[in-house]
Amino acid sequence: MAKRLAMAAPLAVGFIGGGQMCEALLGGLLSQGTTEAGLVIISEPLETRRTYLENKYGIKTTASNDEVLKSIGIDGAVILAVKPQVAAAALSGLPLGPSKTPLFISIMAGVTLAKLAEMGLKRVARTMPNTPALVGLGAAGYVLGPGAAASDSSTVERVMSAVGICEKLADEKLLDAVTGLSGSGPAYVYMMIEAMSDGGVKNGLPRDVAMKLAAQTVLGSAKMVLQGDKHPAQLKNAVESPGGTTIAGTAALESAGFRAGVISAVTAAKERATELGKL
């Protein structure tokens, strides 16, 4: 599949909103060859930000959201990368009538497909990326809106896979679970890295050394899960030797409610996402 996507013609891409997530996606799309600088246009209200993006990436910017839509055409994609509270204003006045439009890809948290439809969008997909997309290692889930074609899935995956992995979901409700797991998950992992570092410092390691060791341990362990075919429990068991140091440590985590705490965190974040989606 990766080879087939790589051979596809460069995609015309527009962004409404030129913030951090826009830049992360832009960098990934350009480096992966999914698009070319001459095929990109970004609308951004701040002139200093527009100048920065133009100078760094060689792309076109504008202060007009309408210009983005007119420039892209029906075969391109427009990524909605504004804050949720300004989404309606950003889309107001755009030519979103019965004529065909580009595929809109929303990366706005909490803005449901129903809300996007109320704003006039018909051909739209909703995604939930996370902040590691800023370093090309994001994890995203997505759903297509009822006005999108089945073939639009490949476009969403081309765009989002430029900065990590992207999984299609059968039901929009599952995006709240994605929010609780991978959307909020980086914060849980940062807490784990911080706690492991503190443990190292408590036991005599310099702070900088402890931090590097903890972060690299998380990175390496994640790669072993993603690149191998073993369940995390099998990998854990392989580190635990009878009566050894690791089983003493994992037993302490179990006694402290580590596993239940993580599950509760994912569930609490998911439930909060559901609440916010109703506002």
Side-chain angles (χ1 to χ4, degrees), residues 20-21 24-25 128-140 160 163 179 181-190:
Q20 276 197 324
M21 287 302 293
L25 281 167
M128 183 63 228
N130 63 5
T131 55
L134 296 170
V135 293
L137 293 171
M160 301 309 296
V163 289
T179 300
L181 175 58
S182 54
S184 301
Y188 317 151
V189 177
Y190 299 145

Side-chain angles (χ1 to χ4, degrees), residues 155-201:
T155 301
V156 177
E157 291 172 13
R158 284 184 71 191
V159 170
M160 301 309 296
S161 295
V163 289
I165 65 169
C166 183
E167 297 291 331
K168 185 176 182 180
L169 305 174
D171 192 313
E172 184 181 15
K173 293 180 181 178
L174 294 175
L175 275 178
D176 291 339
V178 171
T179 300
L181 175 58
S182 54
S184 301
Y188 317 151
V189 177
Y190 299 145
M191 290 181 70
M192 177 68 175
I193 292 171
E194 182 185 31
M196 290 175 66
S197 299
D198 287 345
V201 172

Side-chain angles (χ1 to χ4, degrees), residues 17 38 60 64 109 117 173 177 199 204:
K60 181 180 180 181
S64 168
K173 293 180 181 178

Side-chain angles (χ1 to χ4, degrees), residues 114-148:
K115 290 180 181 178
L116 291 169
E118 290 173 2
M119 297 175 195
L121 299 184
K122 298 176 177 62
R123 187 183 173 201
V124 62
R126 182 184 168 202
T127 71
M128 183 63 228
N130 63 5
T131 55
L134 296 170
V135 293
L137 293 171
Y142 79 95
V143 290
L144 294 179

Side-chain angles (χ1 to χ4, degrees), residues 87-111:
L91 295 172
S92 177
L94 293 182
L96 299 172
S99 60
K100 291 184 178 180
T101 66
L103 171 65
F104 284 88
I105 302 174
S106 170
I107 62 172
M108 300 181 294
V111 182

